[in-house]
Amino acid sequence: MSPSLRISVVIAAYAPGAAFDRVIDSLDAQTLPQDEFETIVIDDGSPDDTFERLTALAATRANMRVERIENSGWPSRPRNVATGIARGEHVFFMDHDDSLYPDALRRMAEYAAETRADVLSPKESKTSDAWWCMPALKDGNVPNAVVDGGIDRLLPMVPHKLYRRAFLQQHGIRFPEGRRQLWEDIYVNVAAWRHAERVAVLADTPVYLWHASASNNSRTYGPRDEEFWDRLDELLAFIDRTLDGPEHAEARGSALLHQLRGRVLLRLSKALQRADAAETAMAMRRARAIQARYLPEAWEPLLGRQVRARSVLLRADRPDLLAALWAVDGDTRSRVTATRMEWRDGRLHLTLEAAWQTKAGEPVGLVRQGDRLLRDLPAELRQALPDDVVDMTDTLPLVDLSLAVRDRAAAVTWRLPVEQEARWIDLEDGRVELGVSATAVLDPATLALGRPMAVGVHDLVATLAWDGAERASAVRFTGTAAPAVPAGGTVVAYGSRKGTLALDSSATLRNVLADGGAPNGPVQGDRSALRLPLPRIRVSDAADLPAAARLLPADGAEEVVLHGRFRADAAGAVLDLEAGPPLPDGAWTLGLRLGDGPFLGARRASVADGVLTLVPKAGVAPPPPPPATGAIRIINAVRRRLGG
């Protein structure tokens, strides 16, 4: 091992089973040299063969150490034990069933040294949530959140962060121990914020992937249990006393509001849907005590109107109306639709519309009362809520549409810049709904904070926020696929089978040859040269790439490769090929290669009397000329039903 280790990776393990394989595989794949970090795994008294399996792994890895302790019942003690024997300059905590992205440790060590950070909060992804961690990363890398952004930059307050080991030791920062010590990671992060001089945010490199599973500890407790409220009382008291003093007042308020919004107002309302009378009485009593102590009425406007309504009903001790309001809000969703897309200069330009709807697809309307616009609520709810809580008239500036691109395989999300305008739209029944018009530009060359989009299949995802409420959704699209050849590769933007907008830059599901619009029928040219028009592909005017077409015979005979150039054309793109040897009659499959890329395909073809002809899929007639704009959506739907 190196005399000075850069990072100690700490893992608390308890019967992880096969899930630990992805932990070790991701550590083996790190770009940081193995002798510059160590892995410390503490087996928390697993009842199976976990310790023996871990010991066998350590026997073949010089930088891995395994210890076993008596079962403590929670990850806190194993982490504390490991931190006590760690030798790295920094400590990074992993769970026993997650994984690191390949450049995670190297880039964290580099940025921590550059910023001299006591704590580094990295880009984390979650398999079940495309927007996980994204709000804290919206401004890119932040050298020091203590002076730029505040404590919310640490959200989510998970343990998967990089801490300077000497900093933890100096201030005695440890995970609280106990058999069921809920939210132990928040204690560490709140204490770290209290003492840190520099807290860096690393947004430009994927670091950690949380593999969501049903066995997660956070699923084992909730507002219908006394334990939930006991632990929440302890946590709020810890935040209150740790972030005391005027210098921490802003952080204290933000941290308390975050817990009150999520764990009290939102989780309580949801839990009341299934709670019996005794559970309801207990939960309301505990929640109202917390509200009285930590949520002054003067803070309620900071919650946003749609969460503030819950606080008002809690203060009024109306569990019935809290449950009713949850049912109303639970029936709403956002719907974001790409109404137009086109490639220009290697970038995908999107036009979008967004709205707030019920799950049945009906608009969520506001009712007019004089010159004001109020939420349309059941009568009893409306009577219980003051006008300023249900008055949405002045909330247009509080509407925000966010867009991002999500890598399906890697589960990495990158945000897109959006220009938007929110407005009120009159409905036929006299009500008014919220509408958002937006434009966005996706540049594959710079998507990942200045670096290229990864090769693969990607989905467009969105969130629509409106004064305290937020809904996530995929971006809908049902139009014609848009293939392009931007700098560095090929991309097809298309509507998936689910009716959502996706991009394929790997030719896994869609490719520029299949979607390029090459017409069925004889290929233009003669024995000396062939020309294949690809009118749907968009390329820059200067595009001129070496290309090849590969013809694979259906009878298994030798393939034929024709070489040529791929160029921009007035109508899109064109492939000019130098003719090769005469092709035997029969059925062929045509593939296309641009530059040094792989062969893309395939189009069905046939040869008769030396003439190469592109043929449609079996059972599907050749497409007609491009239809009028108004008919495009209908014809595309028919083609999909036919399998075309």
Side-chain angles (χ1 to χ4, degrees):
M1 302 294 294
S2 298
S4 177
L5 291 171
R6 303 179 76 179
I7 297 177
S8 295
V9 178
V10 166
I11 305 167
Y14 180 78
F20 194 80
D21 291 346
R22 58 177 169 250
V23 177
I24 204 70
D25 288 347
S26 72
L27 288 167
D28 287 347
Q30 288 300 297
T31 58
L32 184 69
Q34 296 284 315
D35 63 353
E36 294 187 25
F37 72 93
E38 65 176 348
T39 300
I40 303 175
V41 187
I42 306 296
D43 176 22
D44 192 33
S46 298
D48 56 10
D49 64 347
T50 293
F51 182 68
E52 289 73 24
R53 291 176 57 232
L54 294 174
T55 302
L57 290 170
T60 60
R61 291 164 176 82
N63 63 343
M64 181 174 178
R65 177 175 178 179
V66 176
E67 301 289 344
R68 187 176 192 180
I69 62 173
E70 183 179 348
N71 179 251
S72 68
W74 211 252
S76 294
R77 177 158 176 74
R79 291 175 185 152
N80 290 337
V81 169
T83 303
I85 61 177
R87 296 175 295 149
E89 180 182 359
H90 297 90
V91 177
F92 184 83
F93 298 101
M94 284 188 73
D95 288 335
H96 66 191
D97 54 359
D98 292 334
S99 59
L100 294 173
Y101 292 99
D103 202 32
L105 298 182
R106 186 205 64 80
R107 181 63 178 128
M108 281 196 298
E110 177 183 68
Y111 195 59
E114 177 186 331
T115 58
R116 296 179 294 125
D118 297 314
V119 181
L120 185 150
S121 188
K123 182 177 179 65
E124 177 173 326
S125 301
K126 191 175 183 179
T127 55
S128 61
D129 186 352
W131 288 95
W132 181 254
C133 199
M134 292 302 291
L137 306 176
K138 65 180 180 179
D139 296 321
N141 291 353
V142 178
N144 190 3
V146 173
V147 296
D148 182 9
I151 196 171
D152 285 352
R153 300 275 198 197
L154 271 180
L155 296 174
M157 286 196 181
V158 290
H160 320 132
K161 304 184 190 296
L162 191 74
Y163 304 87
R164 190 165 57 83
R165 184 166 62 89
F167 165 76
L168 296 178
Q169 293 173 330
Q170 177 185 355
H171 299 286
I173 299 174
R174 294 166 56 85
F175 291 93
E177 297 181 10
R179 296 207 68 82
R180 284 176 59 82
Q181 185 58 60
L182 311 188
W183 309 305
E184 78 288 349
D185 40 9
I186 299 176
Y187 285 82
V188 166
N189 284 307
V190 167
W193 182 267
R194 162 67 191 245
H195 297 290
E197 295 183 8
R198 287 172 291 275
V199 175
V201 177
L202 177 63
D204 67 13
T205 303
V207 168
Y208 195 87
L209 179 57
W210 179 352
H211 295 259
S213 69
S215 62
N216 188 279
N217 281 336
S218 63
R219 295 176 181 266
T220 64
Y221 49 85
R224 293 188 292 166
D225 304 316
E226 288 273 12
E227 178 193 32
F228 174 91
W229 298 103
D230 291 342
R231 301 290 84 77
L232 187 55
D233 279 339
E234 295 169 0
L235 175 63
L236 294 173
F238 178 82
I239 294 172
D240 193 39
R241 67 175 179 268
T242 301
L243 300 176
D244 62 340
E247 69 274 25
H248 299 298
E250 184 176 347
R252 174 183 171 275
S254 293
L256 288 174
L257 274 176
H258 180 75
Q259 299 302 322
L260 294 168
R261 180 188 293 110
R263 304 199 193 281
V264 178
L265 298 175
L266 296 181
R267 290 196 65 176
L268 171 64
S269 299
K270 182 178 181 180
L272 291 176
Q273 304 294 309
R274 303 178 304 279
D276 60 28
E279 291 170 339
T280 295
M282 178 276 297
M284 289 294 292
R285 173 177 55 82
R286 300 294 298 266
R288 294 184 73 230
I290 286 174
Q291 182 186 46
R293 181 170 183 180
Y294 296 110
L295 183 57
E297 290 189 54
W299 283 16
E300 283 186 344
L302 300 175
L303 297 169
R305 287 170 177 80
Q306 302 198 49
V307 178
R308 183 185 172 194
R310 291 182 171 84
S311 185
V312 170
L313 296 176
L314 176 63
R315 210 177 292 278
D317 197 16
R318 293 298 303 269
D320 57 329
L321 295 185
L322 275 170
L325 183 59
W326 178 265
V328 171
D329 290 344
D331 188 43
T332 61
R333 65 177 185 179
S334 63
R335 185 177 180 90
V336 182
T337 304
T339 58
R340 181 182 179 186
M341 66 177 181
E342 61 176 332
W343 291 95
R344 297 199 302 268
D345 299 324
R347 301 188 299 170
L348 184 64
H349 293 253
L350 298 167
T351 302
L352 307 107
E353 294 290 333
W356 211 262
Q357 295 184 341
T358 67
K359 290 182 178 178
E362 298 297 323
V364 175
L366 305 176
V367 294
R368 293 187 182 276
Q369 189 175 92
D371 62 347
R372 311 305 294 175
L373 299 175
L374 309 182
R375 292 190 67 184
D376 189 6
L377 297 171
E380 193 173 9
L381 268 174
R382 177 63 190 88
Q383 293 170 5
L385 294 171
D387 287 349
D388 63 332
V389 173
V390 298
D391 188 340
M392 307 298 286
T393 310
D394 302 321
T395 60
L396 287 182
L398 304 177
V399 175
D400 183 57
L401 174 65
S402 298
L403 295 173
V405 178
R406 170 83 160 180
D407 187 320
R408 279 190 197 176
V412 176
T413 303
W414 298 103
R415 189 184 292 266
L416 292 178
V418 180
E419 293 187 5
Q420 58 191 287
E421 180 182 6
R423 66 195 187 283
W424 301 124
I425 301 173
D426 292 327
L427 299 172
E428 292 182 358
D429 61 6
R431 296 182 303 158
V432 175
E433 72 166 327
L434 171 69
V436 181
S437 298
T439 58
V441 179
L442 191 164
D443 186 349
T446 60
L447 173 67
L449 286 183
R451 289 180 292 185
M453 179 175 74
V455 175
V457 180
H458 307 262
D459 294 295
L460 272 290
V461 294
T463 61
L464 184 60
W466 186 13
D467 194 22
E470 185 175 85
R471 300 289 184 271
S473 68
V475 176
R476 310 293 301 178
F477 180 74
T478 56
T480 304
V485 183
T490 66
V491 185
V492 179
Y494 66 99
S496 71
R497 292 182 179 179
K498 295 180 179 180
T500 58
L501 183 55
L503 297 102
D504 191 343
S505 61
S506 62
T508 301
L509 300 177
R510 305 291 285 262
N511 65 80
V512 295
L513 176 59
D515 287 300
N520 295 317
V523 176
Q524 302 172 23
D526 53 29
R527 291 186 178 277
S528 62
L530 297 172
R531 167 164 283 205
L532 181 64
L534 296 162
R536 292 181 187 166
I537 298 179
R538 293 294 174 260
V539 296
S540 65
D541 292 340
D544 188 344
L545 301 172
R550 180 177 63 183
L551 289 155
L552 297 174
D555 61 8
E558 186 175 353
E559 68 178 40
V560 176
V561 178
L562 307 178
H563 296 278
R565 308 294 297 183
F566 176 84
R567 299 184 176 92
D569 181 76
V574 65
L575 178 63
D576 286 319
L577 298 168
E578 299 174 1
L583 298 174
D585 290 355
W588 298 77
T589 299
L590 174 67
L592 171 65
R593 181 174 67 195
L594 302 179
D596 296 326
F599 277 102
L600 309 176
R603 283 293 303 269
R604 296 181 64 224
S606 67
V607 175
D609 297 327
V611 177
L612 177 64
T613 300
L614 297 184
V615 299
K617 292 181 180 180
V620 181
T629 302
I632 288 178
R633 183 170 296 178
I634 297 173
I635 290 178
N636 282 337
V638 173
R639 285 182 184 166
R640 285 195 301 275
R641 293 290 296 273
L642 293 174

